[in-house]
Amino acid sequence: MKVKSENEPGVVADVVCDMCGVSARGQAGHLQYGTMRAAWGEGSAHDGEVYELHLCESCFFAQVSAMKRERWLGVFLEEEGDSILRNDTYGLVRKFEASDDASEQPDIPD
Ligand SMILES: [Zn+2]
């Protein structure tokens, strides 16, 4: 959950992990978090509902691990099963370069 600044309403002062409740501000002082978003449309059970959850690094990768495990359970007897467990880039879109501004999260393509 994003916590807005009391003095500057448009500014995000902190991000609190929606899973563990801890601030997502890292040791270097930068906010480090993952975002899970959904906007459900016509034909879905949650039509018209929009969600946005924020996860600290630890909880984000716990969720990635849980997703990999769920996926693996569905296919572990098939050839694809082993590749899912060995995939260290599950869900990874790209890595940003060291020269990127570390104070901002990289753009995530839609
Ligand atoms: Zn957390």
Side-chain angles (χ1 to χ4, degrees):
M1 147 182 64
K2 289 183 177 176
V3 179
K4 304 284 176 147
S5 169
E6 290 183 18
N7 300 332
E8 301 174 71
V11 174
V12 175
D14 197 5
V15 174
V16 175
C17 177
D18 286 306
M19 191 166 160
C20 72
V22 171
S23 171
R25 191 168 300 283
Q27 291 181 348
H30 304 296
L31 291 172
Q32 301 286 338
Y33 59 93
T35 305
M36 185 167 69
R37 293 186 186 128
W40 302 103
E42 187 176 337
S44 78
H46 296 272
D47 185 11
E49 296 176 4
V50 177
Y51 292 83
E52 183 173 289
L53 298 166
H54 301 95
L55 300 171
C56 71
E57 186 175 16
S58 176
C59 290
F60 178 85
F61 283 102
Q63 290 305 303
V64 169
S65 179
M67 291 169 72
K68 281 174 67 174
R69 190 172 45 253
E70 284 293 320
R71 177 83 176 113
W72 176 78
L73 285 173
V75 297
F76 78 98
L77 292 178
E78 300 170 19
E79 195 169 306
E80 182 186 8
D82 286 344
S83 66
I84 290 172
L85 287 182
R86 286 190 303 247
N87 184 355
D88 291 335
T89 59
Y90 186 86
L92 179 66
V93 176
R94 72 176 180 100
K95 284 186 168 186
F96 59 97
E97 302 297 322
S99 60
D100 292 348
D101 185 353
S103 67
E104 296 182 22
Q105 288 201 321
D107 291 335
I108 301 171
D110 292 326

XYZ file of all heavy atoms in Angstrom:
848
model
N 0.848 -1.167 0.000
C 0.000 0.000 0.000
C 0.894 1.230 0.000
O 1.862 1.300 0.754
C -0.908 -0.065 1.226
C -1.264 1.251 1.838
S -2.296 1.115 3.319
C -1.225 0.258 4.442
N 0.559 2.149 -0.876
C 1.310 3.392 -0.922
C 0.820 4.316 0.186
O -0.384 4.460 0.404
C 1.134 4.064 -2.284
C 1.847 3.332 -3.396
C 1.725 4.052 -4.710
C 2.533 3.312 -5.776
N 2.374 3.925 -7.099
N 1.761 4.933 0.871
C 1.453 5.874 1.942
C 1.809 7.263 1.428
O 2.968 7.530 1.116
C 2.259 5.559 3.227
C 1.947 6.571 4.310
C 1.979 4.140 3.692
N 0.794 8.112 1.305
C 1.008 9.471 0.791
C 1.600 10.370 1.871
O 1.322 10.199 3.061
C -0.326 10.071 0.302
C -1.048 9.242 -0.737
C -0.423 9.364 -2.087
C -1.147 8.439 -3.042
N -1.268 8.791 -4.338
N 2.365 11.326 1.431
C 2.938 12.316 2.335
C 1.824 13.208 2.885
O 0.920 13.603 2.154
C 3.957 13.175 1.576
O 4.325 14.288 2.345
N 1.876 13.497 4.181
C 0.866 14.385 4.777
C 1.051 15.811 4.292
O 0.094 16.557 4.141
C 0.948 14.327 6.300
C 0.480 13.003 6.871
C 0.503 12.986 8.395
O 0.555 14.066 9.010
O 0.468 11.877 8.952
N 2.288 16.206 4.035
C 2.566 17.574 3.619
C 2.386 17.772 2.119
O 2.003 18.844 1.674
C 3.996 17.956 4.014
C 4.200 17.861 5.514
O 3.259 18.019 6.283
N 5.430 17.603 5.929
N 2.685 16.736 1.352
C 2.570 16.812 -0.100
C 1.702 15.637 -0.560
O 2.216 14.535 -0.790
C 3.945 16.738 -0.749
C 4.883 17.855 -0.304
C 6.280 17.655 -0.867
O 6.448 17.826 -2.074
O 7.173 17.298 -0.072
N 0.387 15.841 -0.682
C -0.549 14.745 -0.954
C -0.223 13.920 -2.207
O -0.540 12.745 -2.259
C -1.896 15.463 -1.114
C -1.733 16.749 -0.395
C -0.278 17.125 -0.523
N 0.414 14.497 -3.208
C 0.715 13.757 -4.420
C 1.990 12.928 -4.335
O 2.324 12.196 -5.263
N 2.695 13.050 -3.225
C 3.989 12.377 -3.075
C 3.833 11.107 -2.235
O 3.191 11.121 -1.189
C 5.012 13.329 -2.413
C 6.323 12.612 -2.115
C 5.236 14.544 -3.292
N 4.427 10.018 -2.725
C 4.415 8.764 -1.982
C 5.562 8.812 -0.972
O 6.729 8.874 -1.346
C 4.574 7.553 -2.925
C 4.685 6.255 -2.128
C 3.415 7.499 -3.899
N 5.215 8.802 0.307
C 6.228 8.880 1.365
C 6.801 7.507 1.686
O 7.949 7.379 2.092
C 5.620 9.502 2.619
N 5.981 6.475 1.515
C 6.428 5.121 1.848
C 5.532 4.130 1.113
O 4.450 4.486 0.636
C 6.337 4.899 3.368
C 7.145 3.702 3.852
O 7.854 3.083 3.038
O 7.056 3.393 5.052
N 5.996 2.919 1.033
C 5.188 1.813 0.523
C 5.269 0.713 1.567
O 6.358 0.298 1.959
C 5.692 1.309 -0.844
C 4.936 0.064 -1.275
C 5.570 2.409 -1.900
N 4.109 0.291 2.049
C 4.036 -0.763 3.056
C 3.607 -2.049 2.348
O 2.632 -2.055 1.583
C 3.030 -0.388 4.174
C 2.857 -1.525 5.154
C 3.487 0.877 4.883
N 4.338 -3.106 2.596
C 4.057 -4.393 1.968
C 2.655 -4.864 2.358
O 2.317 -4.911 3.543
C 5.109 -5.417 2.383
S 4.794 -7.075 1.735
N 1.839 -5.217 1.367
C 0.477 -5.679 1.633
C 0.437 -7.109 2.164
O -0.626 -7.587 2.537
C -0.365 -5.575 0.355
C -0.715 -4.137 0.040
O -1.273 -3.454 0.916
O -0.409 -3.685 -1.084
N 1.581 -7.771 2.211
C 1.606 -9.130 2.744
C 2.123 -9.156 4.181
O 1.498 -9.751 5.053
C 2.481 -10.017 1.851
C 2.379 -11.482 2.157
S 3.102 -12.426 0.813
C 3.401 -13.973 1.652
N 3.253 -8.505 4.461
C 3.840 -8.589 5.808
C 3.690 -7.291 6.601
O 3.937 -7.285 7.810
C 5.313 -8.991 5.727
S 6.401 -7.706 5.087
N 3.324 -6.204 5.959
C 3.097 -4.959 6.659
C 4.336 -4.141 6.964
O 4.277 -3.137 7.656
N 5.479 -4.547 6.395
C 6.739 -3.850 6.647
C 6.987 -2.824 5.531
O 6.593 -3.035 4.387
C 7.891 -4.880 6.726
C 9.245 -4.205 6.778
C 7.696 -5.783 7.935
N 7.652 -1.730 5.875
C 8.011 -0.732 4.878
C 8.895 -1.361 3.807
O 9.755 -2.190 4.094
C 8.771 0.421 5.530
O 9.299 1.280 4.534
N 8.700 -0.958 2.579
C 9.490 -1.476 1.458
C 10.711 -0.605 1.190
O 11.346 -0.723 0.155
C 8.622 -1.567 0.206
N 11.047 0.266 2.158
C 12.226 1.121 1.983
C 13.465 0.296 2.321
O 13.599 -0.244 3.408
C 12.140 2.348 2.893
C 13.191 3.401 2.565
C 12.902 4.705 3.282
N 11.627 5.317 2.950
C 11.370 5.993 1.823
N 12.299 6.148 0.920
N 10.185 6.515 1.604
N 14.364 0.188 1.345
C 15.575 -0.603 1.519
C 16.610 0.110 2.364
O 16.422 1.257 2.778
N 17.715 -0.595 2.633
C 18.764 -0.039 3.493
C 19.378 1.229 2.909
O 19.838 2.088 3.647
C 19.846 -1.088 3.713
C 19.364 -2.232 4.568
C 20.437 -3.267 4.801
O 21.473 -3.244 4.156
N 20.181 -4.177 5.714
N 19.385 1.355 1.589
C 19.939 2.550 0.946
C 18.936 3.706 0.940
O 19.234 4.794 0.464
C 20.362 2.228 -0.489
N 17.739 3.463 1.484
C 16.741 4.526 1.572
C 15.779 4.579 0.411
O 14.849 5.384 0.400
N 15.978 3.725 -0.578
C 15.093 3.711 -1.746
C 13.957 2.729 -1.519
O 14.136 1.696 -0.874
C 15.857 3.303 -3.002
C 17.050 4.157 -3.280
N 16.956 5.491 -3.575
C 18.362 3.848 -3.283
C 18.166 5.984 -3.758
N 19.045 5.008 -3.578
N 12.806 3.054 -2.078
C 11.680 2.121 -2.025
C 11.940 0.986 -2.998
O 12.248 1.230 -4.169
C 10.377 2.841 -2.368
C 9.912 3.851 -1.331
C 8.718 4.657 -1.867
C 9.527 3.154 -0.041
N 11.862 -0.223 -2.503
C 12.076 -1.422 -3.311
C 10.869 -2.327 -3.127
O 10.691 -2.899 -2.051
C 13.351 -2.160 -2.867
C 14.605 -1.350 -2.944
C 15.075 -1.180 -4.386
O 14.726 -1.953 -5.260
N 15.881 -0.163 -4.618
N 10.048 -2.427 -4.165
C 8.837 -3.239 -4.026
C 8.382 -3.737 -5.390
O 8.771 -3.219 -6.426
C 7.700 -2.434 -3.366
C 7.316 -1.195 -4.134
C 6.279 -1.223 -5.066
C 7.983 -0.003 -3.938
C 5.917 -0.086 -5.766
C 7.636 1.141 -4.631
C 6.601 1.094 -5.548
O 6.263 2.208 -6.250
N 7.555 -4.741 -5.355
C 6.919 -5.247 -6.561
C 5.435 -4.915 -6.500
O 4.875 -4.742 -5.414
N 4.824 -4.778 -7.657
C 3.421 -4.408 -7.730
C 2.638 -5.486 -8.469
O 3.058 -5.945 -9.526
C 3.249 -3.068 -8.473
O 4.057 -2.078 -7.831
C 1.801 -2.625 -8.484
N 1.521 -5.865 -7.900
C 0.616 -6.801 -8.563
C -0.674 -6.031 -8.863
O -1.298 -5.480 -7.953
C 0.324 -7.992 -7.641
C -0.503 -9.059 -8.296
S -0.559 -10.609 -7.373
C -1.503 -10.163 -5.940
N -1.015 -5.950 -10.147
C -2.185 -5.164 -10.556
C -3.151 -6.029 -11.334
O -2.747 -6.936 -12.056
C -1.757 -4.023 -11.489
C -0.936 -2.978 -10.861
C -0.712 -1.843 -11.851
N 0.211 -0.890 -11.283
C 1.294 -0.458 -11.887
N 1.577 -0.882 -13.092
N 2.083 0.399 -11.307
N -4.409 -5.681 -11.216
C -5.429 -6.341 -12.026
C -6.606 -5.387 -12.206
O -6.968 -4.646 -11.293
C -5.907 -7.622 -11.358
N -7.160 -5.389 -13.393
C -8.388 -4.653 -13.690
C -9.282 -5.638 -14.427
O -9.013 -5.995 -15.565
C -8.092 -3.418 -14.546
N -10.305 -6.095 -13.730
C -11.162 -7.144 -14.278
C -12.298 -6.542 -15.075
O -12.922 -5.574 -14.659
C -11.690 -8.027 -13.146
C -10.574 -8.631 -12.375
C -10.111 -8.249 -11.161
C -9.714 -9.691 -12.807
N -9.025 -9.007 -10.798
C -8.764 -9.913 -11.796
C -9.652 -10.478 -13.947
C -7.765 -10.877 -11.894
C -8.667 -11.447 -14.047
C -7.746 -11.638 -13.032
N -12.547 -7.135 -16.213
C -13.551 -6.596 -17.121
C -14.753 -7.510 -17.301
O -14.918 -8.514 -16.597
N -15.562 -7.123 -18.283
C -16.802 -7.832 -18.585
C -16.549 -9.322 -18.806
O -15.604 -9.700 -19.494
C -17.431 -7.220 -19.834
C -18.790 -7.753 -20.152
C -19.403 -7.029 -21.345
O -18.989 -5.889 -21.630
O -20.282 -7.635 -21.980
N -17.365 -10.131 -18.198
C -17.239 -11.573 -18.343
C -16.464 -12.215 -17.213
O -16.451 -13.438 -17.093
N -15.800 -11.415 -16.399
C -15.068 -11.987 -15.257
C -15.959 -11.937 -14.011
O -16.902 -11.146 -13.937
C -13.763 -11.221 -15.003
O -14.029 -10.015 -14.334
N -15.628 -12.755 -13.042
C -16.391 -12.767 -11.790
C -16.207 -11.464 -11.010
O -17.029 -11.126 -10.157
C -15.961 -13.951 -10.927
N -15.153 -10.737 -11.300
C -14.847 -9.495 -10.577
C -14.958 -8.273 -11.489
O -14.223 -7.292 -11.335
C -13.449 -9.581 -9.959
C -13.344 -10.640 -8.914
N -13.649 -10.413 -7.597
C -12.997 -11.950 -8.990
C -13.493 -11.525 -6.901
N -13.100 -12.478 -7.735
N -15.889 -8.329 -12.417
C -16.096 -7.270 -13.397
C -16.136 -5.887 -12.731
O -16.866 -5.667 -11.766
C -17.413 -7.526 -14.135
C -17.660 -6.537 -15.252
O -16.731 -5.774 -15.608
O -18.783 -6.531 -15.788
N -15.297 -5.000 -13.229
C -15.293 -3.622 -12.742
C -14.374 -3.384 -11.555
O -14.237 -2.252 -11.093
N -13.739 -4.420 -11.057
C -12.870 -4.261 -9.891
C -11.424 -4.064 -10.338
O -10.942 -4.736 -11.249
C -12.960 -5.475 -8.968
C -14.340 -5.660 -8.349
C -14.465 -6.916 -7.509
O -13.461 -7.628 -7.320
O -15.579 -7.188 -7.043
N -10.745 -3.132 -9.683
C -9.340 -2.850 -9.979
C -8.544 -3.068 -8.696
O -8.932 -2.565 -7.634
C -9.154 -1.395 -10.476
C -7.685 -1.090 -10.721
C -9.983 -1.149 -11.728
N -7.460 -3.814 -8.811
C -6.625 -4.135 -7.651
C -5.198 -3.647 -7.866
O -4.680 -3.655 -8.993
C -6.570 -5.653 -7.426
C -7.877 -6.252 -6.985
C -8.858 -6.590 -7.919
C -8.133 -6.484 -5.648
C -10.064 -7.140 -7.518
C -9.335 -7.036 -5.238
C -10.297 -7.362 -6.177
O -11.486 -7.907 -5.777
N -4.561 -3.257 -6.794
C -3.131 -2.952 -6.824
C -2.562 -3.302 -5.448
O -2.983 -2.754 -4.437
C -2.864 -1.488 -7.151
C -1.375 -1.209 -7.260
C -1.067 0.197 -7.754
O -1.305 0.451 -8.951
O -0.627 1.024 -6.942
N -1.645 -4.242 -5.443
C -1.007 -4.677 -4.201
C 0.490 -4.477 -4.335
O 1.059 -4.667 -5.407
C -1.315 -6.156 -3.932
C -2.797 -6.492 -3.742
C -3.012 -7.997 -3.818
C -3.301 -5.938 -2.423
N 1.111 -4.114 -3.221
C 2.556 -3.893 -3.212
C 3.215 -4.906 -2.287
O 2.709 -5.164 -1.197
C 2.862 -2.461 -2.755
C 2.227 -1.448 -3.647
N 1.014 -0.883 -3.363
C 2.610 -0.936 -4.835
C 0.674 -0.050 -4.334
N 1.626 -0.072 -5.250
N 4.329 -5.465 -2.744
C 5.030 -6.483 -1.973
C 6.486 -6.088 -1.789
O 7.140 -5.645 -2.744
C 4.970 -7.833 -2.695
C 3.562 -8.396 -2.941
C 3.633 -9.594 -3.852
C 2.896 -8.743 -1.628
N 7.006 -6.272 -0.563
C 8.427 -6.048 -0.326
C 9.204 -7.135 -1.092
O 8.615 -8.106 -1.574
C 8.748 -6.082 1.166
S 8.638 -7.723 1.914
N 10.495 -6.987 -1.179
C 11.308 -7.922 -1.962
C 11.157 -9.355 -1.450
O 10.999 -10.293 -2.223
C 12.777 -7.491 -1.924
C 13.658 -8.316 -2.818
C 15.089 -7.787 -2.840
O 15.462 -6.999 -1.949
O 15.818 -8.173 -3.766
N 11.193 -9.533 -0.148
C 11.087 -10.869 0.428
C 9.740 -11.507 0.100
O 9.671 -12.663 -0.335
C 11.290 -10.779 1.950
O 11.113 -12.039 2.533
N 8.670 -10.776 0.311
C 7.328 -11.320 0.047
C 7.102 -11.512 -1.453
O 6.444 -12.474 -1.866
C 6.262 -10.412 0.639
S 6.230 -10.451 2.445
N 7.644 -10.623 -2.278
C 7.499 -10.775 -3.728
C 8.083 -12.104 -4.179
O 7.442 -12.883 -4.877
C 8.183 -9.610 -4.460
C 8.108 -9.741 -5.965
C 7.010 -9.287 -6.660
C 9.149 -10.330 -6.671
C 6.922 -9.425 -8.036
C 9.078 -10.473 -8.051
C 7.970 -10.012 -8.738
N 9.315 -12.382 -3.737
C 9.947 -13.614 -4.205
C 9.372 -14.851 -3.517
O 9.426 -15.946 -4.070
C 11.466 -13.515 -4.101
C 12.004 -12.664 -5.225
C 12.379 -11.358 -4.997
C 12.064 -13.154 -6.515
C 12.817 -10.554 -6.045
C 12.505 -12.369 -7.566
C 12.885 -11.067 -7.331
N 8.772 -14.693 -2.356
C 8.032 -15.801 -1.754
C 6.821 -16.133 -2.625
O 6.492 -17.304 -2.838
C 7.591 -15.444 -0.331
N 6.165 -15.100 -3.155
C 5.018 -15.323 -4.039
C 5.454 -15.925 -5.378
O 4.784 -16.810 -5.913
C 4.247 -14.017 -4.267
C 3.505 -13.539 -3.046
C 2.565 -14.607 -2.512
O 1.690 -15.105 -3.215
N 2.755 -14.988 -1.256
N 6.578 -15.460 -5.911
C 7.093 -16.043 -7.158
C 7.384 -17.526 -6.951
O 7.027 -18.363 -7.785
C 8.361 -15.296 -7.638
C 9.050 -16.053 -8.767
C 8.007 -13.872 -8.081
N 7.995 -17.852 -5.817
C 8.290 -19.249 -5.511
C 7.008 -20.070 -5.386
O 6.928 -21.197 -5.891
C 9.101 -19.317 -4.212
O 9.376 -20.649 -3.883
N 6.007 -19.519 -4.738
C 4.726 -20.221 -4.584
C 4.056 -20.426 -5.941
O 3.483 -21.490 -6.202
C 3.809 -19.440 -3.643
N 4.152 -19.437 -6.811
C 3.566 -19.565 -8.151
C 4.290 -20.638 -8.949
O 3.655 -21.446 -9.643
C 3.617 -18.215 -8.877
C 2.690 -17.178 -8.270
S 2.951 -15.513 -8.897
C 2.291 -15.678 -10.540
N 5.620 -20.651 -8.866
C 6.394 -21.678 -9.567
C 6.010 -23.068 -9.056
O 5.839 -24.004 -9.832
C 7.900 -21.463 -9.357
C 8.484 -20.388 -10.212
C 9.933 -20.112 -9.875
C 10.848 -21.241 -10.191
N 12.274 -20.892 -9.977
N 5.864 -23.195 -7.742
C 5.517 -24.475 -7.145
C 4.123 -24.932 -7.607
O 3.924 -26.092 -7.959
C 5.567 -24.371 -5.613
C 5.460 -25.694 -4.892
C 5.699 -25.590 -3.389
N 5.021 -24.484 -2.742
C 5.607 -23.387 -2.290
N 6.902 -23.258 -2.379
N 4.919 -22.419 -1.730
N 3.164 -24.000 -7.640
C 1.817 -24.337 -8.114
C 1.845 -24.770 -9.571
O 1.192 -25.735 -9.963
C 0.865 -23.146 -7.947
C 0.414 -22.924 -6.537
C -0.483 -24.050 -6.011
O -1.345 -24.547 -6.759
O -0.291 -24.433 -4.840
N 2.605 -24.058 -10.370
C 2.723 -24.396 -11.798
C 3.366 -25.772 -11.941
O 2.921 -26.591 -12.742
C 3.559 -23.327 -12.519
C 3.814 -23.596 -13.952
C 2.633 -23.160 -14.821
N 2.983 -23.368 -16.208
C 2.392 -24.273 -16.986
N 1.399 -24.977 -16.538
N 2.779 -24.421 -18.224
N 4.407 -25.997 -11.142
C 5.109 -27.277 -11.209
C 4.190 -28.428 -10.818
O 4.211 -29.493 -11.434
C 6.332 -27.247 -10.290
C 7.058 -28.550 -10.239
C 7.914 -29.046 -11.177
C 6.963 -29.534 -9.212
N 8.371 -30.281 -10.798
C 7.800 -30.612 -9.585
C 6.279 -29.617 -8.008
C 7.943 -31.740 -8.798
C 6.422 -30.747 -7.231
C 7.255 -31.783 -7.635
N 3.350 -28.245 -9.796
C 2.439 -29.302 -9.356
C 1.503 -29.739 -10.474
O 1.104 -30.903 -10.528
C 1.627 -28.844 -8.142
C 2.381 -28.801 -6.826
C 1.517 -28.165 -5.730
C 2.829 -30.188 -6.400
N 1.191 -28.803 -11.363
C 0.292 -29.138 -12.466
C 0.954 -29.904 -13.586
O 0.272 -30.540 -14.392
N 2.276 -29.852 -13.648
C 2.962 -30.463 -14.803
C 4.174 -31.295 -14.402
O 4.966 -31.666 -15.265
C 3.407 -29.376 -15.819
C 2.207 -28.648 -16.394
C 4.386 -28.405 -15.199
N 4.338 -31.628 -13.120
C 5.597 -32.257 -12.697
C 5.863 -33.607 -13.346
O 7.007 -34.041 -13.437
C 5.677 -32.347 -11.169
C 4.866 -33.447 -10.550
C 5.466 -34.640 -10.200
C 3.525 -33.279 -10.310
C 4.722 -35.666 -9.623
C 2.768 -34.291 -9.737
C 3.363 -35.480 -9.398
N 4.836 -34.282 -13.795
C 5.046 -35.561 -14.467
C 5.353 -35.385 -15.952
O 5.741 -36.327 -16.617
C 3.828 -36.468 -14.298
C 3.592 -36.963 -12.872
C 2.328 -37.806 -12.801
C 4.788 -37.746 -12.359
N 5.186 -34.183 -16.442
C 5.442 -33.919 -17.850
C 6.859 -33.373 -18.018
O 7.508 -32.965 -17.061
C 4.418 -32.910 -18.388
C 2.986 -33.432 -18.246
C 1.947 -32.366 -18.541
O 2.283 -31.357 -19.177
O 0.801 -32.554 -18.114
N 7.313 -33.342 -19.232
C 8.678 -32.888 -19.529
C 8.918 -31.460 -19.053
O 10.003 -31.103 -18.624
C 8.920 -32.973 -21.042
C 10.370 -32.874 -21.415
C 10.566 -33.228 -22.877
O 10.135 -34.310 -23.292
O 11.145 -32.397 -23.575
N 7.883 -30.629 -19.092
C 8.001 -29.222 -18.706
C 8.290 -29.055 -17.215
O 8.851 -28.050 -16.786
C 6.701 -28.496 -19.062
C 6.699 -27.024 -18.763
C 5.325 -26.389 -18.999
O 4.347 -27.126 -19.242
O 5.259 -25.166 -18.940
N 7.956 -30.032 -16.396
C 8.059 -29.914 -14.952
C 9.420 -29.501 -14.444
O 9.552 -28.547 -13.680
N 10.471 -30.188 -14.857
C 11.818 -29.874 -14.384
C 12.256 -28.474 -14.790
O 12.933 -27.783 -14.043
C 12.822 -30.891 -14.913
C 12.693 -32.222 -14.199
O 12.068 -32.253 -13.119
O 13.214 -33.219 -14.717
N 11.876 -28.063 -15.989
C 12.326 -26.747 -16.462
C 11.713 -25.626 -15.625
O 12.330 -24.582 -15.447
C 11.988 -26.557 -17.942
O 10.594 -26.517 -18.133
N 10.543 -25.830 -15.106
C 9.909 -24.791 -14.275
C 10.699 -24.605 -12.983
O 10.987 -23.485 -12.573
C 8.438 -25.155 -13.976
C 7.618 -25.029 -15.262
C 7.862 -24.259 -12.884
C 6.212 -25.539 -15.144
N 11.099 -25.685 -12.348
C 11.843 -25.568 -11.090
C 13.231 -24.979 -11.299
O 13.760 -24.287 -10.437
C 11.960 -26.937 -10.421
C 10.681 -27.462 -9.788
C 10.933 -28.802 -9.127
C 10.120 -26.480 -8.780
N 13.842 -25.256 -12.439
C 15.194 -24.736 -12.704
C 15.185 -23.317 -13.250
O 16.228 -22.697 -13.391
C 15.914 -25.655 -13.698
C 16.365 -26.956 -13.070
C 17.260 -27.683 -14.042
N 16.557 -27.894 -15.311
C 16.193 -29.078 -15.785
N 16.502 -30.151 -15.151
N 15.558 -29.181 -16.922
N 14.029 -22.787 -13.563
C 13.931 -21.465 -14.185
C 14.147 -20.370 -13.141
O 13.265 -20.059 -12.352
C 12.554 -21.320 -14.856
C 12.429 -20.015 -15.606
O 13.318 -19.171 -15.570
N 11.312 -19.853 -16.291
N 15.340 -19.772 -13.143
C 15.648 -18.685 -12.202
C 15.117 -17.344 -12.682
O 15.279 -16.334 -11.999
C 17.160 -18.579 -11.992
C 17.701 -19.772 -11.238
O 16.931 -20.405 -10.490
O 18.894 -20.071 -11.417
N 14.551 -17.315 -13.877
C 14.056 -16.049 -14.421
C 12.539 -16.078 -14.566
O 11.987 -15.297 -15.328
C 14.711 -15.753 -15.783
O 14.403 -16.830 -16.674
C 16.211 -15.587 -15.643
N 11.885 -16.940 -13.818
C 10.422 -17.051 -13.874
C 9.790 -15.679 -13.633
O 9.983 -15.078 -12.588
C 9.959 -18.042 -12.807
C 8.493 -18.384 -12.819
C 8.007 -19.384 -13.625
C 7.611 -17.697 -12.007
C 6.660 -19.715 -13.626
C 6.255 -18.013 -11.996
C 5.793 -19.023 -12.804
O 4.461 -19.332 -12.801
N 9.086 -15.163 -14.613
C 8.420 -13.870 -14.495
C 9.304 -12.665 -14.786
O 8.808 -11.545 -14.850
N 10.599 -12.882 -14.948
C 11.516 -11.759 -15.191
C 11.304 -11.210 -16.594
O 11.348 -11.956 -17.571
C 12.969 -12.229 -15.033
C 14.052 -11.182 -15.277
C 14.001 -10.096 -14.209
C 15.429 -11.845 -15.297
N 11.060 -9.903 -16.687
C 10.870 -9.250 -17.978
C 12.204 -8.749 -18.507
O 12.544 -8.933 -19.662
C 9.862 -8.084 -17.870
C 9.736 -7.334 -19.181
C 8.500 -8.610 -17.426
N 12.969 -8.113 -17.660
C 14.297 -7.642 -18.035
C 15.063 -7.267 -16.778
O 14.483 -7.081 -15.713
C 14.249 -6.445 -18.978
C 13.804 -5.154 -18.318
C 13.887 -3.979 -19.296
N 13.449 -2.747 -18.664
C 14.278 -1.829 -18.188
N 15.570 -1.995 -18.289
N 13.812 -0.741 -17.622
N 16.392 -7.144 -16.901
C 17.228 -6.618 -15.834
C 17.664 -5.225 -16.255
O 18.035 -5.030 -17.410
C 18.468 -7.485 -15.634
C 18.215 -8.771 -14.929
C 19.520 -9.478 -14.654
C 19.313 -10.625 -13.700
N 20.578 -11.237 -13.298
N 17.612 -4.284 -15.343
C 18.081 -2.960 -15.717
C 19.558 -2.852 -15.399
O 20.100 -3.581 -14.579
C 17.234 -1.844 -15.113
C 17.150 -1.820 -13.613
C 17.984 -0.998 -12.876
C 16.236 -2.607 -12.942
C 17.899 -0.967 -11.498
C 16.157 -2.586 -11.565
C 16.992 -1.765 -10.843
N 20.204 -1.943 -16.111
C 21.651 -1.798 -16.026
C 22.059 -1.028 -14.777
O 21.280 -0.240 -14.240
C 22.176 -1.057 -17.270
C 21.829 -1.739 -18.573
C 22.452 -3.110 -18.706
O 23.604 -3.284 -18.264
O 21.775 -4.014 -19.231
N 23.296 -1.244 -14.345
C 23.822 -0.533 -13.178
C 23.816 0.973 -13.388
O 23.738 1.739 -12.428
C 25.232 -1.012 -12.868
N 23.869 1.401 -14.635
C 23.882 2.836 -14.922
C 22.498 3.455 -14.790
O 22.366 4.675 -14.762
C 24.414 3.087 -16.330
O 23.585 2.425 -17.279
N 21.449 2.644 -14.707
C 20.101 3.179 -14.522
C 20.015 3.869 -13.166
O 20.714 3.512 -12.232
C 19.048 2.073 -14.591
C 18.914 1.473 -15.980
O 19.454 2.060 -16.929
O 18.270 0.421 -16.096
N 19.141 4.847 -13.057
C 18.947 5.570 -11.804
C 18.388 4.615 -10.753
O 17.265 4.134 -10.869
C 17.983 6.737 -12.030
C 17.824 7.601 -10.788
O 18.339 7.228 -9.709
O 17.199 8.661 -10.905
N 19.183 4.331 -9.730
C 18.791 3.362 -8.709
C 17.682 3.877 -7.808
O 17.071 3.122 -7.072
C 20.000 2.979 -7.861
N 17.397 5.177 -7.851
C 16.364 5.718 -6.979
C 14.960 5.500 -7.541
O 13.981 5.738 -6.872
C 16.592 7.212 -6.735
O 16.409 7.930 -7.935
N 14.893 5.080 -8.801
C 13.583 4.869 -9.410
C 13.446 3.421 -9.834
O 14.411 2.802 -10.257
C 13.423 5.765 -10.641
C 13.443 7.238 -10.319
C 13.239 8.077 -11.571
O 12.689 7.551 -12.546
O 13.636 9.237 -11.545
N 12.246 2.912 -9.725
C 12.021 1.568 -10.215
C 12.017 1.622 -11.736
O 11.579 2.587 -12.333
C 10.673 1.051 -9.732
C 10.689 0.732 -8.250
C 9.591 -0.221 -7.895
O 8.509 -0.118 -8.417
N 9.881 -1.151 -7.021
N 12.530 0.581 -12.377
C 12.539 0.569 -13.830
C 11.113 0.507 -14.380
O 10.212 0.021 -13.703
C 13.316 -0.705 -14.162
C 13.192 -1.552 -12.946
C 13.089 -0.614 -11.784
N 10.952 1.024 -15.586
C 9.654 0.933 -16.245
C 9.324 -0.517 -16.491
O 10.178 -1.298 -16.882
C 9.677 1.685 -17.578
C 9.773 3.183 -17.373
O 9.359 3.655 -16.304
O 10.261 3.854 -18.300
N 8.097 -0.854 -16.250
C 7.632 -2.207 -16.504
C 6.669 -2.145 -17.676
O 5.654 -1.458 -17.596
C 6.944 -2.801 -15.267
C 7.935 -2.822 -14.090
C 6.394 -4.185 -15.558
C 7.311 -3.174 -12.775
N 7.017 -2.825 -18.764
C 6.112 -2.773 -19.916
C 4.771 -3.421 -19.583
O 4.711 -4.349 -18.794
C 6.855 -3.582 -20.989
C 7.903 -4.338 -20.277
C 8.175 -3.668 -18.970
N 3.701 -2.894 -20.180
C 2.359 -3.475 -19.966
C 2.217 -4.781 -20.699
O 2.844 -5.068 -21.642
C 1.281 -2.498 -20.428
C 1.229 -1.278 -19.520
O 1.480 -1.429 -18.317
O 0.938 -0.188 -20.041
Zn 6.521 -8.157 2.796
